[in-house]
Amino acid sequence: MINLGSEPGCQLIRQPEPELMAGDQQARAYAEADFEEPHNQFIQCLQTALPSLPLTGTALDLGCGPADIALRFAHAFPRWSVDGWDASEAMLLYGDQAVERAGLQNRVKLKNVYLPVQDPQIKRETKHYPLIFANSLLHHLADPMVLWTEIQRWAMTGAAVFIMDLLRPDTQKQATQLVEQYAQNEPEILRRDFLNSLLAAYRLDEVVAQLHQAGLGQLQVQVVSDRHFIVWGEVP
Ligand SMILES: C[S@@+](CC[C@H](N)C(=O)[O-])C[C@H]1O[C@@H](n2cnc3c(N)ncnc32)[C@H](O)[C@@H]1O
């Protein structure tokens, strides 16, 4: 019998999806998709959650994909730079093109980095960051603890952190409805990825448990839409 991952009265079982968005078609569909609303929300929530950021600095964007969030951040914080890390060459290709179109090559720099970082050269060369953010990375990771431990690894003492990700719906039907509501006119490959991402996402109680396990229980967690939560605060 096919396991749809949910039964009446039961919560939807998490169904992991591949970590990297490595396919060209997949990366292109993602890079060309309309993320205006959630990505604007990411920047607005970050501004509200972290009102005391220094005037200038370099932020680290983990799982930067095609750099839309990194570029929006760079526009909103004109005295900041961004280092974006992702291990999908296809995504980085679209990201580099977007950075070039925006003329922000001096401030937004993308690099092929797989998390957790193992490359000795990257380990040697990487400095610590005063701000680390990530959008929609957590649900892709094979081990969710990688996000929280890499944040601790690359954050300066007292650094700010801001994470936004999808929430797993309670039922398969709700997941399908969200795809209809928010990706009705998108290409099939993007609709498929969105559904898979919703099914791979974590519930809020699971995220809170991860934070406690990582020693980051002081970070704040909040649901900000019908499909997103945020985590923010200072890394000790
Ligand atoms: C859903 S996309 C989000 C991209 C971007 N943050 C955004 O919001 O538009 C997730 C990205 O994380 C990257 N990724 C997933 N696991 C990774 C890992 N272990 N190391 C580096 N990048 C990873 C994928 O390749 C993909 O580009």
Side-chain angles (χ1 to χ4, degrees):
M1 197 167 112
I2 297 170
N3 176 15
L4 286 177
S6 75
E7 289 166 22
C10 295
Q11 278 177 319
L12 189 59
I13 296 163
R14 176 169 187 268
Q15 298 166 47
E17 65 174 338
E19 275 202 313
L20 302 184
M21 296 178 69
D24 178 62
Q25 246 196 317
Q26 183 185 37
R28 181 194 300 211
Y30 193 88
E32 290 176 353
D34 177 8
F35 287 118
E36 182 78 15
E37 186 230 313
H39 288 187
N40 268 345
Q41 186 182 25
F42 180 98
I43 299 297
Q44 280 164 10
C45 287
L46 184 152
Q47 285 169 320
T48 307
L50 304 173
S52 310
L53 282 179
L55 266 182
T56 183
T58 300
L60 176 61
D61 180 359
L62 295 173
C64 62
D68 189 56
I69 293 275
L71 286 169
R72 284 173 197 267
F73 177 86
H75 285 299
F77 293 86
R79 295 178 64 183
W80 279 73
S81 300
V82 185
D83 288 348
W85 290 356
D86 201 291
S88 159
E89 266 306 329
M91 280 292 201
L92 291 171
L93 189 75
Y94 289 105
D96 282 334
Q97 288 171 3
V99 171
E100 206 178 316
R101 275 197 305 277
L104 286 176
Q105 299 95 318
N106 289 341
R107 289 175 50 218
V108 179
K109 297 188 174 141
L110 311 184
K111 207 192 263 190
N112 191 331
V113 180
Y114 179 77
L115 301 167
V117 176
Q118 267 142 17
D119 183 313
Q121 196 181 346
I122 294 171
K123 279 193 202 169
R124 240 189 346 267
E125 288 174 356
T126 302
K127 49 194 186 295
H128 290 89
Y129 290 88
L131 168 62
I132 300 182
F133 57 78
N135 183 55
S136 283
L137 170 65
L138 180 66
H139 70 267
H140 272 278
L141 293 169
D143 174 5
M145 296 310 291
V146 164
L147 174 61
W148 311 116
T149 51
E150 289 298 286
I151 284 173
Q152 288 167 307
R153 192 170 169 198
W154 302 115
M156 283 175 180
T157 305
V161 56
F162 183 84
I163 305 301
M164 184 159 119
D165 215 291
L166 293 168
L167 278 170
R168 187 163 81 251
D170 288 337
T171 63
Q172 179 93 21
K173 188 170 169 206
Q174 282 173 12
T176 311
Q177 280 168 347
L178 286 169
V179 174
E180 282 315 306
Q181 190 173 345
Y182 294 109
Q184 193 176 28
N185 300 317
E186 298 289 358
E188 197 44 45
I189 191 165
L190 195 82
R191 288 163 55 81
R192 180 206 68 187
D193 279 354
F194 183 31
L195 178 64
N196 289 341
S197 290
L198 287 165
L199 303 181
Y202 291 94
R203 295 194 316 260
L204 211 60
D205 59 313
E206 294 168 335
V207 175
V208 170
Q210 291 164 16
L211 290 171
H212 282 282
Q213 192 186 327
L216 290 172
Q218 81 286 358
L219 296 184
Q220 302 195 62
V221 180
Q222 191 186 331
V223 173
V224 290
S225 80
D226 56 357
R227 61 203 188 285
H228 293 109
F229 67 89
I230 57 172
V231 174
W232 78 97
E234 264 185 25
V235 180

